[in-house]
Amino acid sequence: MIGSESTQPLLEVENLKVTFSTRRGLVEAVRGVSLSLQPGEMLGLVGESGSGKSVTGFAITHLLDRAGHITEGLIRFKGQDITRAGGADLRSLHGAAMAMIFQNPRAALNPIRTVGQQIADAILAHRRLSRAEAQAEALSLLKAVQIRDPERRMGAYPHELSGGMCQRVMIAVAISCNPSLLIADEPTTGLDVTTQKVVMDLLARIAADRGMATILITHDLGLAARYCARVVVMEQGRLVEEAEPLTLFHRPQHPYTRRLVAASPTATSRIEDLVPDGERIPLVAVTELPPPHGTPLLLDVKAVSKRFDDGTVGVADFSMTMRGGESVGLVGESGSGKSTTSRMICRLIDASAGEILFDGQSIGQIPARDFHRSELRRDIQIVFQDPNDSLNPRYTAFDCIAHPLLRLMNMRSGDKLRQRVEECADRVGLPRELLSRFPHQLSGGQKARVGIARAIACKPRLLVLDEPTAALDVSVQAVVLQLLNKLRREDNLAFLFVSHDLNVVRMMCDRTIVLRTGVIVEQGESRALFANPQTDYTRELVDAVPHIAPAPA
């Protein structure tokens, strides 16, 4: 355990062990973790899903679910043992002394109370104020977390706010009673790079102004490197390494830390440089793609626009071309029109104006609701951001992959169907014994493979990838990216790659298009564009990307 000898630590955790009761017996999720935190310090807690990061945070704040129990160890807060705290002691701790920002703000916020009411509720639980005074304090907090038009947002419900704004509301709730300790559990997952930077800068500023200690739980090593004074690495419930970011990420001592660093994309890495946990996708004997300029035009989008029923313009005058085997990235902040554009191209929604040509045929004239009847449907497939939402929970992995074959290829049940499904599973590295499992029985990486296998089942020529690795750990992301790169080379697939991870886009895409409020502001060859952006907006995006600290001279 590392801590200053001259200053009393705010938090001390010694040999913490947490066990969960499951149908299959007891599972030890945290195994002897020891750490300390000084007042005002920001500590990073990194590791992959299942490493015990969040469980450690929940144990410290006594927010474990009923199946979880602290079986051993000590948690000391401000010098007081709170390991077995309960009842009134916990009520005085929660919110007032320590607070937590949860990973999914929409799920954490009450959907039937306005954000102003929810902040006021947190204040009234710990401070003796009138409802009017609490409402005034809530408004002040919304201003502090830089919510635009805070007076109007006071009466808004969570579903009426963007992901970034919901996260700011969560921060306002968390700091409403001036806690000494804030635990932020993946506070920027799913946010675009500029919103992520705004949220993290805001957290860092508030923590510094209030002398608030923070534990940042994240799988983003760049984020930990940018904002944390120290970083703790966890693997399978154990603390395996601890150091300052510069030392940890450039001279990692533990094999697990080295694997995390090797799998993390940087501003200069290539897709073949990523080394996930012993699972690098071999590119031997894979056909090289022909130069894109020497292949026929596959996609031609001409001045496409999308205006929604409420009058909002999602995309305005968007034009692009793609050739067979080419990979084009779409980047921009949330609300920039990336997903709207990709959904018009793959014919999930209709454009309001413009023309979309695929292989010389005008597919924009076919209503989206009827496009599934077109033979071209099999040529344009999509991999969605969240396989939890896009995979039918009642289908096995086999059924999910077989569905487009049954619907679009008229392939009937039998040996031919099973052979094709198993071939797709093999190509994406999904073990055949997992084909009988349902989505909830698969890991995040396995579900991502099912989604990709389903998308390639009909042998498409254009694959639209909508944030396909946004929620994956770095090592799983590396495997999936190398897998996609291999499939692209083998099948001469064209990729339309939608992402807010600029490092991933730079590695995966020949060209990149930058969108802002539905308008193209810049486009060009990916490496050149990111190395020397020509517009202020693109420079802001590039500068907002968190990187592992620069190597020491």
Side-chain angles (χ1 to χ4, degrees):
M1 181 173 63
I2 298 175
S4 171
E5 295 182 358
S6 59
T7 305
Q8 173 70 37
L10 175 73
L11 175 73
E12 296 173 278
V13 178
E14 298 179 3
N15 194 34
L16 179 67
K17 295 183 180 180
V18 179
T19 300
F20 284 85
S21 301
T22 72
R23 294 177 180 177
R24 298 181 179 179
L26 297 178
V27 174
E28 196 171 30
V30 176
R31 308 177 181 185
V33 165
S34 297
L35 56 85
S36 69
L37 187 65
Q38 297 293 337
E41 183 184 14
M42 184 174 286
L43 174 72
L45 201 56
V46 305
E48 296 175 293
S49 298
S51 63
K53 308 185 303 295
S54 295
V55 174
T56 300
F58 290 145
I60 291 170
T61 53
H62 287 271
L63 292 175
L64 292 169
D65 64 33
R66 293 181 180 179
H69 303 280
I70 297 173
T71 55
E72 193 175 324
L74 175 71
I75 302 171
R76 188 180 293 113
F77 181 69
K78 293 185 176 179
Q80 179 183 357
D81 183 359
I82 63 168
T83 314
R84 309 297 173 191
D89 290 336
L90 277 185
R91 285 193 292 274
S92 66
L93 282 173
H94 288 161
M98 55 175 65
M100 193 159 190
I101 297 174
F102 298 96
Q103 180 171 352
N104 186 345
R106 292 194 190 280
L109 293 172
N110 190 328
I112 61 172
R113 288 183 69 75
T114 66
V115 298
Q117 290 172 331
Q118 295 187 60
I119 300 172
D121 290 343
I123 295 170
L124 291 171
H126 298 282
R127 297 166 62 184
R128 293 187 175 183
L129 299 176
S130 68
R131 171 62 66 172
E133 289 171 329
Q135 288 282 347
E137 182 70 15
L139 178 60
S140 176
L141 285 164
L142 285 184
K143 292 177 180 178
V145 298
Q146 301 174 9
I147 290 281
R148 291 192 299 272
D149 196 2
E151 291 81 5
R152 185 166 66 89
R153 299 300 183 189
M154 281 282 290
Y157 291 90
H159 73 272
E160 298 177 302
L161 304 179
S162 68
M165 292 181 74
C166 282
Q167 198 59 283
R168 295 186 198 204
V169 171
M170 279 293 303
I171 294 172
V173 171
I175 67 173
S176 61
C177 295
N178 294 310
S180 303
L181 171 63
L182 178 67
I183 298 180
D185 187 7
E186 300 280 9
T188 61
T189 296
L191 300 182
D192 60 71
V193 287
T194 51
T195 304
Q196 172 181 265
K197 185 176 187 299
V198 168
V199 168
M200 285 305 305
D201 285 349
L202 176 66
L203 265 179
R205 179 180 61 77
I206 290 173
D209 290 346
R210 302 187 177 208
M212 184 172 62
T214 307
I215 296 178
L216 174 64
I217 298 173
T218 181
H219 63 256
D220 188 330
L221 304 191
L223 207 63
R226 173 176 281 186
Y227 291 98
C228 298
R230 286 186 297 127
V231 178
V232 170
V233 182
M234 290 189 68
E235 180 193 21
Q236 297 180 358
R238 293 185 175 89
L239 192 159
V240 297
E241 192 163 357
E242 178 181 359
E244 295 179 354
L246 192 65
T247 301
L248 186 72
F249 296 135
H250 290 287
R251 290 190 295 274
Q253 301 301 306
H254 194 275
Y256 178 70
T257 310
R258 289 198 289 268
R259 291 199 298 269
L260 288 181
V261 172
S264 299
T266 68
T268 57
S269 58
R270 301 171 300 169
I271 186 65
E272 54 268 29
D273 293 333
L274 300 184
V275 185
D277 188 8
E279 207 175 342
R280 184 199 292 265
I281 303 295
L283 296 179
V284 179
V286 173
T287 305
E288 288 293 331
L289 294 173
H293 56 78
T295 58
L297 198 64
L298 182 68
L299 179 69
D300 189 3
V301 181
K302 300 180 179 180
V304 163
S305 298
K306 177 63 179 179
R307 182 182 294 273
F308 295 100
D309 293 340
D310 62 0
T312 304
V313 177
V315 178
D317 199 30
F318 179 92
S319 298
M320 67 169 289
T321 59
M322 286 183 68
R323 298 183 181 275
E326 189 176 14
S327 181
V328 177
L330 274 181
V331 303
E333 297 173 294
S334 298
S336 62
K338 306 187 301 296
S339 292
T340 299
T341 300
S342 66
R343 279 160 169 73
M344 287 191 292
I345 289 173
C346 65
R347 306 306 300 122
L348 294 180
I349 61 174
D350 291 318
S352 303
E355 188 175 14
I356 303 173
L357 300 175
F358 183 83
D359 201 19
Q361 299 185 52
S362 179
I363 62 174
Q365 301 303 314
I366 306 173
R369 66 177 180 273
D370 297 329
F371 193 68
H372 67 279
R373 300 190 182 96
S374 169
E375 290 187 358
L376 292 175
R377 171 77 284 168
R378 69 185 67 168
D379 290 323
I380 306 173
Q381 292 290 305
I382 185 168
V383 177
F384 295 95
Q385 176 175 353
D386 188 354
N388 291 312
D389 292 336
S390 62
L391 297 179
N392 191 326
R394 297 183 177 183
Y395 281 10
T396 63
F398 182 96
D399 295 332
C400 290
I401 300 170
H403 187 68
L405 296 169
L406 295 168
R407 292 287 304 275
L408 303 177
M409 304 287 286
N410 295 318
M411 193 177 289
R412 300 305 173 194
S413 298
D415 293 341
K416 187 175 181 181
L417 177 67
R418 176 164 293 280
Q419 182 180 353
R420 178 58 183 160
V421 170
E422 290 177 347
E423 177 189 342
C424 292
D426 292 344
R427 294 194 67 201
V428 302
L430 183 72
R432 292 186 181 185
E433 58 266 24
L434 298 183
L435 289 173
S436 61
R437 294 190 183 181
F438 291 90
H440 74 274
Q441 297 173 310
L442 302 174
S443 70
Q446 289 165 348
K447 283 183 281 195
R449 292 173 192 251
V450 173
I452 295 169
R454 177 180 62 181
I456 66 170
C458 294
K459 300 183 179 180
R461 290 185 286 166
L462 170 63
L463 206 56
V464 176
L465 300 145
D466 188 4
E467 301 277 11
T469 61
L472 301 179
D473 295 321
V474 289
S475 60
V476 179
Q477 173 182 264
V479 172
V480 171
L481 292 177
Q482 290 190 341
L483 167 65
L484 287 169
N485 187 50
K486 177 175 181 286
L487 292 173
R488 179 187 167 214
R489 290 168 177 265
E490 288 178 342
D491 295 352
N492 198 31
L493 269 170
F495 282 177
L496 181 61
F497 203 103
V498 179
S499 181
H500 62 250
D501 191 326
L502 304 193
N503 285 333
V504 168
V505 170
R506 183 189 53 76
M507 288 191 301
M508 294 293 293
C509 300
D510 305 309
R511 291 187 293 119
T512 298
I513 297 172
V514 183
L515 280 173
R516 185 181 191 184
T517 60
V519 177
I520 296 175
V521 296
E522 188 169 352
Q523 58 182 311
E525 192 272 332
S526 294
R527 291 183 181 271
L529 184 144
F530 291 128
N532 186 27
Q534 299 300 302
T535 66
D536 291 340
Y537 178 68
T538 307
R539 276 192 290 273
E540 289 175 9
L541 291 179
V542 173
D543 291 343
V545 178
H547 299 292
I548 294 175

